[in-house]
Amino acid sequence: MIFIHTRKEPILPRLVWIFNPSQVGTRPTAGFPYSAISMKNKMKIKPFKIAGLCLVMISLINACAETKPVIAHKPKARMGHAHHQARGVISLDVYQDGERTHVLIGKQQHGKKTLWHQFSENGGISWSEPVKILGQDDLSITMGRGRDAQITAKGEDIFVAWTQYTDQNRFHTGPMQAALSHDGGQSWQITSAPPDWAPGPHGFIDLAADRHGFRAVWLDSRDQGQQGLRYSRSNDDGRHWSVNRTLDKKSCSCCWNTMKTDSEGNSYIVYRDKNPSDMSIGVMDAHENWRYLGHVGDFGWQFDGCPHIGAGLDFENRQSGLRMHALVGTGMPDKAGIYYLYSDSRGQSWSPAKRLGDESATHGDIAASDAGRVVAVWDMMSKKGLAIFMAESLDSGKTWSAAQQLSTPGQRASHPRIVHSANGFLAFWTEHQHHHSKLMMRRL
Amino acid sequence: MAKFLAGLLLFSALQMGLAQADGIVVKPFVADSLSKIKENHKGQPFVLIFWSETCAYCMKELALFGKLQKQFPDIPIVTVSTDAFLDDKTVNDILAEKGLELDTAWVFAEEYPEQLYAAVDKRWRGELPVTYFYGRQHQPIRHLGIIKEAALVDWMRLQTKP
C-alpha cells in the first residue's frame, strides 16, 4: 500500500492520502468473452454466385418493404452493462475497533470481484499489507456503493459478510455469506452466516462487535415477501449465530442500516422505516432486549419507493453522559437533504434537525470524539457532479462550520465514510473517472 | 434453383418480420433528451416514467401502466430507465413482461446518473419511481413514489376528454 501526499489545505492543515489501487493484485482477463458462432455451410454449389444473388435479393426486398425504419436507432453511446462495468473499488466498509481501523475493500477488475482487508493502528499513517478474503480471485458477490460488503472486529477476531450474487433473483441478490479470521486478518475461512432463513436474498447488512461477540442486522423478506429488519448474535466470535429476530416487520427495502454498539454493550440500530419513510432507531441491549425508540428526525416523508439513503451514527462519552450524534437523509419535498441531530436521552428524543449541505446532499456519515469534536461527511452536487463535503462542530454538535469540499475537484465522488481513529478522524470515499473507481482517504 | 430462390425469398421475408418484431427501440437518455421527448409530444398529453431494474416499486408501477395502456391507448407512455447503459434486451424483457407496448424506450446514457437527475429536476437525488404527467399544455405534475391506480385513471380520463 502506497500513500501519496497530494496537497495541504490551508483551512484544514491536514494530510490528503490516496490509496493506490494498483497495489492490489488482479488477474488479467481470461480471454475473449464471446464465443465465435460456427456456421455449417452445406451448400456446395457456386458459393460466390449464390452469395451475390442473396445480397441482391435481400436489398431488393428491403428496398420495396416499408418506409418505417426497422433497425433500431443506434445510440452514440455504446449501450450494455458489459461495456460500462465499473472497475476498481466498488465497495467499502470501515470499522474502528479500539486503536485499530479496519477497512474492507471490494474490487472489480475484468468482471471479477474480490474483497480485501487492511488495518491501521496509527490512524491511517501506515497500513497492513492487503489480504484477499478467502484468497478468492472471483467471489460470487453482489456489491456496490450503498450496498457494500461489511466488516466488524474484536481484537484478532474479524468477521466479514456480503450478499452472494445469483442469477435467480431479479436484483442478482442471493443469501448472505460470511468469512472469519482469528489471526487479525492474516488468514480467512468461510463461516456460517447470521441468517437462519437460508434462501434469502439478504441485503443491506451491518455488523458490530462488543466484548461478548458479534452482532448482525440486515433486511430480508421472509415474512410473506415483506422486507423487514432482522437481527442475530454470535457469542463465539462468528462461528455460530443465534435464532434470528425480526426487529421491524416492515422496513424500507433498499436503504442501508447502521448499527453501533456503545461501551455498555447496547447496540443502536438506525434503519429507514415505512409510513413514514423516516429513519427509525431502536436498541438491542446487552441482555438481548429490543426496544424501538422512535424516529431520528420527524420529516413525515410518505414515500412508496426506493430512496437508497441510510444514516450515520456515533457516540460521544461526556461527563454528563452519552451523547448520540446522527446524520440522516430525507427526500421529503421541500426538505430534501442531509440533517444532523443529537440525543442526550439515548435515542429517545432528538434535537431539532439541522440541515448540512443543500437539497442535493444524499449519502452521509458522522463520527465524534469524546473531546466534543464531531465531523460530518456527505456527498452532494458540485459543478462537476457529486463531490464529498464535510462540516465540523467543536462543541458537541451545537454549532457547525460551513461545508467544505474534500474530494478532488472535477472528479465524481460519492458515499463517504468516517471514523474517529487512534490518530484523529479518517474520512474515506470513492472517486470515479472513466469507469474506474479509486478509494480515497483523508485525515481530518 | 427455383426452389432455392423461393426459400431465399421466404427466409428474407421472415428475417424482415423478425426485425420488425424485434421490439422496442432503445434510445440513450442524455441531458437534452427531456426537451426532445417534450418536442416529440408537442400539444399532446403524455406520461414520463423513470424506473430502474433494481426498484421493486418501479416494477409494480410499470405493470400498472401496462394495464392502463390498454384502457387509454391514446395517451403516450414514455419510459426512461435510470440504470446507466442498461442493455436493450433487459429493457425489452422488463417492459414486455409488464405488458407495455412501446415503440421506443430510453435508457440513461451517462456514466454518473446524478448529472441526468439534475438535468431532469434539480431536486431529484435518484429516488424512484418518479413519474411526470404532462397535460396538453405540458405543465408537468411530478409524482415521487408509486402512484395509486385511482389517481392515475382520473388523470388519464381527464386527458381524453375533448
Side-chain angles (χ1 to χ4, degrees):
Chain A
M1 180 65 64
I2 293 173
F3 299 102
I4 304 163
H5 177 198
T6 57
R7 65 162 187 246
K8 279 190 177 180
E9 290 282 344
I11 301 168
L12 289 166
R14 295 159 188 122
L15 299 179
V16 179
W17 310 87
I18 304 169
F19 273 86
N20 186 348
S22 65
Q23 290 292 305
V24 181
T26 52
R27 286 185 357 163
T29 183
F32 191 66
Y34 306 102
S35 309
I37 298 166
S38 167
M39 298 292 284
K40 285 185 181 175
N41 187 353
K42 291 182 180 176
M43 290 183 289
K44 293 174 184 170
I45 51 162
K46 299 171 187 169
F48 290 109
K49 273 191 180 176
I50 289 170
L53 194 61
C54 288
L55 279 172
V56 171
M57 293 293 291
I58 289 169
S59 305
L60 276 171
I61 291 164
N62 281 341
C64 298
E66 37 72 64
T67 52
K68 187 180 163 188
V70 172
I71 297 165
H73 162 74
K74 281 288 172 196
K76 282 176 192 167
R78 292 176 73 190
M79 307 299 275
H81 275 322
H83 305 297
H84 295 277
Q85 232 168 24
R87 288 175 285 114
V89 177
I90 61 168
S91 168
L92 162 69
D93 193 30
V94 189
Y95 189 85
Q96 189 69 34
D97 173 38
E99 300 283 290
R100 260 188 204 177
T101 308
H102 296 268
V103 293
L104 182 68
I105 302 163
K107 296 193 71 192
Q108 177 163 265
Q109 293 289 350
H110 309 298
K112 294 183 188 298
K113 294 172 184 169
T114 48
L115 282 177
W116 301 81
H117 168 256
Q118 284 182 274
F119 67 86
S120 169
E121 292 180 313
N122 52 17
I125 294 168
S126 62
W127 290 82
S128 65
E129 285 297 310
V131 173
K132 201 186 293 179
I133 305 292
L134 298 172
Q136 285 271 350
D137 288 328
D138 190 11
L139 271 176
S140 177
I141 179 170
T142 290
M143 59 180 169
R145 300 311 321 276
R147 48 196 175 92
D148 310 78
Q150 296 293 311
I151 185 167
T152 191
K154 183 170 73 73
E156 296 299 297
D157 297 317
I158 310 171
F159 183 83
V160 299
W162 63 88
T163 298
Q164 189 183 8
Y165 177 91
T166 174
D167 276 329
Q168 309 304 314
N169 297 327
R170 188 174 59 222
F171 308 144
H172 304 305
T173 53
M176 192 190 304
Q177 293 201 313
L180 192 58
S181 170
H182 294 301
D183 54 13
Q186 290 177 59
S187 63
W188 294 86
Q189 67 248 22
I190 197 96
T191 187
S192 56
D196 58 15
W197 181 62
H202 314 111
F204 304 99
I205 307 157
D206 200 21
L207 306 169
D210 60 24
R211 60 181 180 276
H212 302 297
F214 297 139
R215 289 172 167 185
V217 289
W218 68 95
L219 304 181
D220 70 42
S221 53
R222 66 181 70 186
D223 289 336
Q224 298 169 331
Q226 175 59 55
Q227 194 90 314
L229 182 68
R230 323 293 171 184
Y231 167 87
S232 185
R233 177 186 186 91
S234 170
N235 288 329
D236 59 3
D237 300 324
R239 292 178 182 86
H240 302 91
W241 290 84
S242 65
V243 171
N244 294 175
R245 293 175 63 178
T246 294
L247 305 185
D248 193 325
K249 276 186 180 174
K250 192 175 182 183
S251 67
C252 172
S253 56
C254 55
C255 292
W256 76 83
N257 303 296
T258 298
M259 176 163 57
K260 279 273 167 72
T261 302
D262 69 14
S263 56
E264 296 168 19
N266 303 301
S267 291
Y268 292 86
I269 300 157
V270 189
Y271 64 99
R272 189 168 295 284
D273 215 332
K274 293 297 289 181
N275 302 319
S277 295
D278 293 337
M279 299 307 293
S280 275
I281 187 168
V283 59
M284 183 68 76
D285 70 20
H287 307 290
E288 294 291 282
N289 299 306
W290 166 250
R291 194 154 57 100
Y292 175 80
L293 297 170
H295 286 130
V296 187
D298 286 313
F299 300 101
W301 188 28
Q302 297 290 348
F303 178 56
D304 280 333
C306 299
H308 300 289
I309 309 165
L313 180 72
D314 205 7
F315 307 122
E316 176 192 351
N317 292 297
R318 312 171 84 204
Q319 280 191 335
S320 54
L322 185 80
R323 174 166 284 191
M324 297 166 69
H325 300 275
L327 195 67
V328 300
T330 181
M332 179 76 176
D334 303 325
K335 290 181 185 170
I338 288 279
Y339 290 83
Y340 163 77
L341 306 95
Y342 68 81
S343 170
D344 290 332
S345 58
R346 291 183 172 268
Q348 293 183 78
S349 61
W350 291 84
S351 66
K354 175 179 174 52
R355 187 185 226 155
L356 300 176
D358 65 23
E359 62 195 3
S360 70
T362 308
H363 313 103
D365 198 11
I366 197 163
S369 75
D370 290 345
R373 185 169 177 227
V374 190
V375 183
V377 287
W378 67 91
D379 55 24
M380 69 178 178
M381 288 297 282
S382 66
K383 284 177 188 169
K384 298 271 185 179
L386 277 182
I388 307 300
F389 290 81
M390 68 153 285
E392 68 177 329
S393 167
L394 300 174
D395 52 11
S396 300
K398 277 184 194 163
T399 58
W400 285 83
S401 69
Q404 180 182 329
Q405 185 166 337
L406 286 181
S407 56
T408 312
Q411 294 227 0
R412 193 257 191 181
S414 73
H415 293 84
R417 297 293 311 277
I418 189 164
V419 290
H420 179 233
S421 73
N423 193 11
F425 289 76
L426 279 179
F428 302 82
W429 66 90
T430 43
E431 283 190 3
H432 320 261
Q433 200 172 36
H434 308 309
H435 310 296
H436 189 272
S437 299
K438 59 189 175 189
L439 178 58
M440 308 293 289
M441 181 185 80
R442 179 163 170 175
R443 195 138 38 88
L444 300 170
Chain B
M1 189 62 178
K3 268 187 185 174
F4 172 68
L5 281 176
L8 194 65
L9 271 169
L10 184 66
F11 174 69
S12 300
L14 273 172
Q15 256 201 332
M16 281 185 53
L18 283 174
Q20 278 178 320
D22 204 20
I24 301 163
V25 177
V26 177
K27 292 184 174 181
F29 189 93
V30 290
D32 65 347
S33 295
L34 180 57
S35 55
K36 282 182 184 162
I37 290 169
K38 286 198 265 190
E39 186 62 29
N40 290 345
H41 297 91
K42 204 172 180 180
Q44 165 186 47
F46 71 100
V47 182
L48 176 64
I49 308 161
F50 290 91
W51 63 279
S52 161
E53 64 165 341
T54 62
C55 165
Y57 291 93
C58 302
M59 296 300 127
K60 287 181 190 171
E61 185 165 289
L62 288 174
L64 177 60
F65 276 103
K67 183 178 139 190
L68 291 179
Q69 191 186 37
K70 290 163 186 68
Q71 202 177 329
F72 299 96
D74 295 334
I75 298 179
I77 291 170
V78 181
T79 66
V80 184
S81 167
T82 61
D83 305 300
F85 306 103
L86 187 63
D87 60 277
D88 296 11
K89 185 182 181 306
T90 306
V91 173
N92 271 273
D93 287 352
I94 289 174
L95 296 178
E97 184 194 308
K98 303 305 169 196
L100 279 159
E101 291 179 12
L102 304 170
D103 291 333
T104 56
W106 299 75
V107 169
F108 268 27
E110 288 283 354
E111 192 177 352
Y112 307 126
E114 64 271 8
Q115 289 167 348
L116 296 177
Y117 299 154
V120 173
D121 185 336
K122 201 168 176 292
R123 295 172 302 162
W124 187 23
R125 303 172 312 151
E127 301 93 340
L128 289 170
V130 179
T131 312
Y132 287 85
F133 297 90
Y134 287 88
R136 284 191 190 87
Q137 304 305 317
H138 280 194
Q139 287 297 318
I141 300 169
R142 180 179 189 252
H143 184 89
L144 192 61
I146 194 166
I147 190 154
K148 289 191 169 55
E149 185 172 350
L152 191 54
V153 168
D154 285 350
W155 185 85
M156 286 184 149
R157 275 200 186 124
L158 194 66
Q159 306 311 311
T160 51
K161 277 183 184 171

